[in-house]
Structures are given as C-alpha cells and as structure tokens.
Amino acid sequence: MRTVLGIDLGTQHLKVVFYDFDHRDIVASASAALELRLGENGEAEQETSWWVEGLRAALKKIPPDVRRSALAIGVSGQQHGFVALDKAGNVLAPVKLWCDTSTDRECEAITEAFGGRERCIRDVGNPILPGYTASKVRWLRDAHPSRYEQLATILLPHDYLNFVLTGERCMEAGDASGTGFLDVRTRQWSADMLRAIDPDRDLMECLPSVRACNEAIGQLRAGVASELGLPAGIPVSIGGGDNMMGAIGTGNVQPGSVTMSLGTSGTVYAFSDKPVVDTDGTIAAFCSSTGGWLPLLCTMNCTVSTELMRKLLRADIASFEAQINSAPQGADGIITVPFFNGERTPNLPKAKGMIVGLDGRNMSSENLLRSAVEGVTFGLKAGIDALAALDTNATEIIATGGGARSAVWRQIIADVCNVPVVTLANEEGAAFGATLQAMAIVEQEQDAGAIVAQHVIRNSDHTAEPNSAAVRFYHDTYQTFQQVVRQAVALYA
C-alpha cells in the first residue's frame, strides 16, 4: 500500500487523511477537536501547541501500518492567522485567527499610511481587512512591543505545521496572498505595504521567500517522525491555505467551475489563469496554489449560523434536515442576516446577527432553521454575482464542506444562484487537496489538471438542478435580503 498524508488544520478540528493513490481510496482518516479562545471585543485566538497536540491525537487514531505507508505529506491550513516566531523558532504570542475582528483600528491605520483603500487595491490587489494578517502584525507591535522586538519570522498556520515537520521556514503564494502584504500580481512581498505596517522596521527580514510552484520544501525530521509514527525523511510539499487546497481537492484548477465551501466560514471561489482584481474590493484577489489565481469571496458566518440555530432549537442533524425541508421557500417571510461573528463581506467586524419578519404566524422552529440556511446562501450568492461581474461565470457550483451534505441545502443553493450544484464522491475537500499535492511530489507530476482528472470523482447521485419557479421566487426574496443587509450596514458600519 502506497499512501500520502493530507493534514488540514481547521478552526474547530485538525484532520488527517491517508489516501492510497494507486487504488484511489481514502484508507483512513481521523480528526481532533481544537479549542478556540474568544474575547468580548472580537478576539479569536489559538495556541500553536494545541495544533501540534491535535496532530498527535489525530494520528494516534490511525493504524500504525497505515501511518508507516505514507510516502509524502501535504498540509492545508486556515488562512490569515499570524504566527510570530523568534530566532530560535519559539512562538512569541497566541495566534490571532482569520475570524479575529478586534484589529479594525489597526486596519484603518495601515490603510491611511499606505494612501487609502483604493491605493491598497490598486497596488497589492486587496484592501486591508480585519481578517487578514497585516493588521495582526501591527497589533503585536502596538500591544506587545517587547515580544515584537523579538520577532524574527512571520508565518501562517499551515506554514507553522510545515516548520514543525521539516524545520523549514517558508511561505506559499496562495496562502501568502491572504496576508494583505503580498502583491498578488507579481507574487512578491510589497515593500510599501510592509512600511505602512511599520515604518521603523524592515519587516522584509521577517518574511521567508514565497514559493509559487509545488515542490518539496524539506523532509520529515527523524524526531518528529518517530513521535508521530511516520517514516522519517519523506518529503513535505509546499501546502497552502484551506481554500487553495480546497480548490485542488474539488478539481477547481481550470476556468469554469465555482467551488462553494460550506464550513465554519463560507467561501466562493473560482480558478483564473490571470490576476482578477476587484476594484470594489468585494472579491479577494488571491493566488491559487497551482500557478494561477483564485478570486474569492469569504463570509465569516456559514455553518456557524446553522449550528447556533440548531443549538438554540435543540435540533439534531436529522431533525435539521427534516425541518428545513418541511418549511416553505422563504421561511414564511423570515429573513436572517447571519452576521453573528461580525462579517467580512460586507466589511462589518462589529456587526451582529439580525432576524426580521417574525410574527405570530411564522415563528416556528422549521422557519427559523430554513431562514438561517437561506440567509447564509444569500450571502454566498453575492459572491457568485460578484465573480460574474468580473467575467468569472459559474457554469456549475461544486459544493463542499459540512453543509454540502444536506440535500435540501444543495437544492436551495441551486435555486438561489440559478446554477447546477454538484458534489464529489470524496468529501474531504481541503484535506484531500493536500493529499493530491503531496502525491504530485511522489509522482513528479506538475500538471494539476491531469491530477484532478484522475482522482477527483463526482457524485452523480447528489446533484441539484435549479427549479425555474423557485429561481423566480428567490430572486425577489434576495432583493428583500439585500434591503435588510443595507440596514445592517447603516447600523454597524
């Protein structure tokens, strides 16, 4: 048996997947829960030690013979988190995550120092948003100057796991484009943006080189291999952000398809063979991990919203599916704006969730649950529309993530977006993408299209076609949703 190991460092869990690429079969997978530290002012942090312990715990659940069969490793990770290392490789502070919304003041300061939001987009491709890494670096400088003085290396979450595995400090273009200080057109660090973050220090000295193509960044260290039960010396690929690895894992490596990830956050993204920069800043101008670009919209509240509603109404997964199926389209007039954790799109870091349209007739658990699903889907439809405005049209939506397991939700997406929805036989998404990237190292294959053509298999039983009557209905309901969002913008901007 020949396998490759994919590691996906998420927000709530760390997952490991062993893929037998000769037989196209996931032979083992396991996960470990991760703690999340939340604060009253939008703070969201984790300790890197939790990630390493999560990796140990997940791998312990895998049979020893499967672990020993690994020939290479690929790592996917939640984007944007700021891992600060000193010269010796020690972590200097808890990691502020992608969902940390406490740095809006730092975002404003960086944007002003750079010359304004429009110049940020024009020169590097993206505005500076609270989720991105840039404001977190500025925050460390201002909040913990003594720690900041010791800063020697800036890494992202997946980079840190690569560092643990190999001892190498490096970054990859796709994940790096979510920092806010990478020029996405050239895939080079922006000296001007780094000066806007800190005019008194050359932060370029803290940044590893950017890897643009898949390659082995190093080998698994003997001590780490012994501890994890893996073969020493096997190569570790460049890895990438979870969205970039999700693109590989869903076969989104050529123009045409759009991936919609229904996880803790919601994302909509599509491959492009040229840079796609949105002058409005709604669509993030990211690079892919396959040599192209990955224009993307991210919402901060996806399954977060449905899980909150399920918990409130004490609905298990089976009941959730049955209730959203029994509720009418439009949830009898209830509109949920799911900004429970603040929001990135639109940029409202201090926003709260809103539920409007309640009355004595429609206030039922099934309507509230369906409204949560529809509200999340409306937010992601904005991404489909924004991509279309940038000439990146969706001929189909590849649904992935936990929410994609719901047949009713898949149909709602097809009807709201008026695009067919497909799913894949393999539901691992980012973790699977990491295995395919690792496999490419073993097989010495650089053509991402050839890799996904052989290994990404569609599930023909779980497709959803738009229903014309439902499409017309949701067109009007979406307009109402947008009106409520405008009220949220006015309230929380």
Side-chain angles (χ1 to χ4, degrees):
M1 178 171 59
R2 301 196 307 162
T3 70
V4 282
L5 166 59
I7 301 169
D8 180 31
L9 170 58
T11 311
Q12 300 179 14
H13 296 86
L14 185 144
K15 175 175 280 190
V16 296
V17 170
F18 287 80
Y19 180 60
D20 181 338
F21 53 93
D22 290 325
H23 296 92
R24 302 181 188 180
D25 182 33
I26 290 179
V27 294
S29 65
S31 64
L34 296 174
E35 185 179 346
L36 177 61
R37 184 188 299 135
L38 300 175
E40 294 181 356
N41 297 312
E43 297 90 351
E45 298 177 345
Q46 287 177 331
E47 302 285 348
T48 57
S49 59
W50 300 348
W51 302 344
V52 176
E53 181 52 40
L55 179 59
R56 292 193 194 102
L59 284 171
K60 283 181 180 178
K61 299 176 184 179
I62 303 296
D65 62 320
V66 175
R67 280 182 273 163
R68 289 193 297 268
S69 71
L71 299 179
I73 302 172
V75 180
S76 164
Q78 50 173 296
Q79 289 192 256
H80 312 308
F82 171 37
V83 183
L85 301 184
D86 66 13
K87 290 182 179 179
N90 301 309
V91 179
L92 293 169
V95 181
K96 278 189 170 298
L97 305 182
W98 63 273
C99 49
D100 187 302
T101 59
S102 66
T103 59
D104 50 329
R105 183 173 60 184
E106 288 78 9
C107 289
E108 292 172 2
I110 295 169
T111 300
E112 182 179 355
F114 194 78
R117 186 175 188 274
E118 290 183 1
R119 189 188 169 204
C120 292
I121 296 172
R122 185 190 70 208
D123 288 9
V124 300
N126 291 297
I128 300 300
L129 301 176
Y132 292 176
T133 317
S135 62
K136 300 172 174 64
V137 178
R138 175 91 170 211
W139 173 88
L140 184 67
R141 185 198 75 164
D142 296 344
H144 300 285
S146 62
R147 297 182 189 179
Y148 183 75
E149 287 179 4
Q150 301 175 63
L151 177 65
T153 306
I154 296 169
L155 294 179
L156 300 168
H158 108 266
D159 304 321
Y160 180 73
L161 284 188
N162 277 348
F163 172 68
V164 170
L165 296 172
T166 67
E168 297 293 329
R169 308 184 193 206
C170 62
M171 297 182 82
E172 175 274 328
D175 209 2
S177 57
T179 61
F181 43 82
L182 184 83
D183 182 337
V184 299
R185 297 178 181 87
T186 64
R187 295 186 174 91
Q188 299 294 318
W189 300 121
S190 168
D192 289 344
M193 184 59 76
L194 293 171
R195 278 191 293 271
I197 297 170
D198 186 349
D200 301 318
R201 179 177 182 178
D202 185 5
L203 286 172
M204 197 77 77
E205 297 176 351
C206 299
L207 289 167
S209 60
V210 179
R211 312 289 183 99
C213 298
N214 186 29
E215 58 184 317
I217 63 165
Q219 297 177 329
L220 182 62
R221 295 188 291 177
V224 177
S226 176
E227 180 183 0
L228 299 178
L230 298 169
I234 60 175
V236 178
S237 65
I238 58 172
D242 51 4
N243 291 304
M244 292 75 200
M245 294 297 98
I248 298 173
T250 58
N252 199 338
V253 297
Q254 296 173 338
S257 297
V258 169
T259 297
M260 182 179 288
S261 177
L262 307 173
T264 304
S265 62
T267 53
V268 173
Y269 50 84
F271 178 87
S272 175
D273 53 12
K274 61 182 181 298
V276 178
V277 175
D278 180 9
T279 56
D280 184 54
T282 299
I283 294 294
F286 289 167
C287 303
S288 77
S289 294
T290 53
W293 286 265
L294 200 73
L296 176 150
L297 177 137
C298 176
T299 63
M300 297 189 74
N301 301 270
C302 188
T303 56
V304 165
S305 305
T306 55
E307 289 302 293
L308 285 171
M309 201 68 79
R310 281 206 313 114
K311 182 178 179 180
L312 174 68
L313 300 171
R314 296 187 175 91
D316 60 19
I317 292 295
S319 174
F320 170 76
E321 183 78 354
Q323 290 192 63
I324 62 174
N325 188 43
S326 66
Q329 294 167 359
D332 269 335
I334 298 176
I335 297 287
T336 296
V337 177
F339 297 169
F340 298 106
N341 284 345
E343 188 49 76
R344 179 184 296 178
T345 311
N347 183 26
L348 299 170
K350 303 303 183 185
K352 307 294 182 184
M354 300 170 64
I355 303 175
V356 303
L358 292 167
D359 59 33
R361 176 189 57 84
N362 64 14
M363 194 171 175
S364 65
S365 61
E366 55 266 31
N367 281 336
L368 287 168
L369 288 166
R370 184 168 184 118
S371 178
V373 171
E374 290 178 342
V376 167
T377 306
F378 289 147
L380 294 170
K381 173 180 165 55
I384 298 292
D385 293 346
L387 286 170
L390 295 169
D391 296 324
T392 306
N393 295 295
T395 57
E396 63 179 6
I397 294 172
I398 304 169
T400 186
R405 299 188 185 103
S406 165
V408 183
W409 199 340
R410 294 195 299 268
Q411 187 61 52
I412 290 172
I413 294 168
D415 295 337
V416 167
C417 299
N418 194 21
V419 178
V421 174
V422 301
T423 61
L424 303 173
N426 186 320
E427 298 180 346
E428 298 296 348
F432 186 52
T435 69
L436 295 184
Q437 192 192 68
M439 186 203 71
I441 298 293
V442 177
E443 297 288 87
Q444 299 183 347
E445 174 63 76
Q446 287 295 324
D447 184 351
I451 292 170
V452 303
Q454 294 179 46
H455 296 275
V456 178
I457 301 170
R458 301 193 172 200
N459 188 340
S460 58
D461 294 332
H462 288 173
T463 60
E465 294 288 335
N467 177 284
S468 57
V471 169
R472 290 192 296 272
F473 174 87
Y474 277 123
H475 176 271
D476 295 337
T477 308
Y478 180 58
Q479 308 309 313
T480 304
F481 174 83
Q482 289 182 307
Q483 291 177 6
V484 181
V485 168
R486 286 192 284 273
Q487 296 301 313
V489 171
L491 185 60
Y492 294 112

